[in-house]
Amino acid sequence: MRKSRPISERKSSSLGARLLTAVAINLERSPVYSLGQDEFARIIVDALRRSVGAASDPVKAVARAANANIHTARNWWTGATTPQGLYLLRLMAAMPELQSEIRRLVGMEASLDPEFGRDLDAMIQTYLRLHRAGGK
């Protein structure tokens, strides 16, 4: 019986086959495939705490960022559950630290560091506010 070679060692000639091979190689290397739920929860909790840990009420800050109730946010904060679907997307949009961590887990590291991303977002929001005020 012939032994199959790992995808990363296979040669392909067509562009489509090469693209599929590149995607498969990336999937083999993505940390998310070696995570369990407990480790994922710990990573999410750490990212949330880095994002809003200095807030006077960090759980409330998480709840506001996700537009979720305080009980749900407390469960995320303690690692009892993890944000799902739309809540996770909202948190990623509001917290560059979380977005950066998720991108790392799925093998899509951002070229921007989280602090720069936060500063850039603040600058864009300021520009939009000034633009709206000047346009009235």
Side-chain angles (χ1 to χ4, degrees):
M1 182 172 186
R2 194 177 117 189
K3 185 176 178 181
S4 179
R5 291 182 296 171
I7 293 174
S8 57
E9 295 176 9
R10 295 179 191 167
K11 293 182 181 179
S12 54
S13 57
S14 75
L15 177 60
R18 287 193 311 261
L19 287 174
L20 287 174
T21 300
V23 167
I25 290 169
N26 189 47
L27 291 177
E28 287 176 351
R29 294 180 182 157
S30 296
V32 72
Y33 289 99
S34 63
L35 285 180
Q37 184 62 33
D38 291 340
E39 188 177 2
F40 177 68
R42 183 191 52 76
I43 290 169
I44 296 299
V45 168
D46 290 347
L48 291 175
R49 291 181 179 185
R50 281 193 312 273
S51 296
V52 296
S56 61
D57 190 347
V59 174
K60 192 178 281 187
V62 169
R64 277 194 211 113
N67 195 22
N69 70 52
I70 195 78
H71 178 74
T72 300
R74 188 173 294 113
N75 283 336
W76 299 335
W77 189 257
T78 62
T81 61
T82 54
Q84 303 292 312
L86 188 56
Y87 289 129
L88 182 60
L89 293 176
R90 288 174 182 162
L91 290 169
M92 288 174 64
M95 301 175 179
E97 294 84 357
L98 179 62
Q99 183 184 93
S100 177
E101 191 61 35
I102 296 295
R103 292 176 63 85
R104 182 191 68 77
L105 289 174
V106 297
M108 300 173 67
E109 290 88 351
S111 59
L112 303 178
D113 70 35
E115 288 180 31
F116 180 79
R118 184 182 297 285
D119 292 344
L120 180 62
D121 185 55
M123 183 180 74
I124 291 169
Q125 294 304 319
T126 300
Y127 168 79
L128 291 173
R129 278 194 305 274
L130 292 173
H131 182 71
R132 281 188 222 118
K136 290 182 177 178

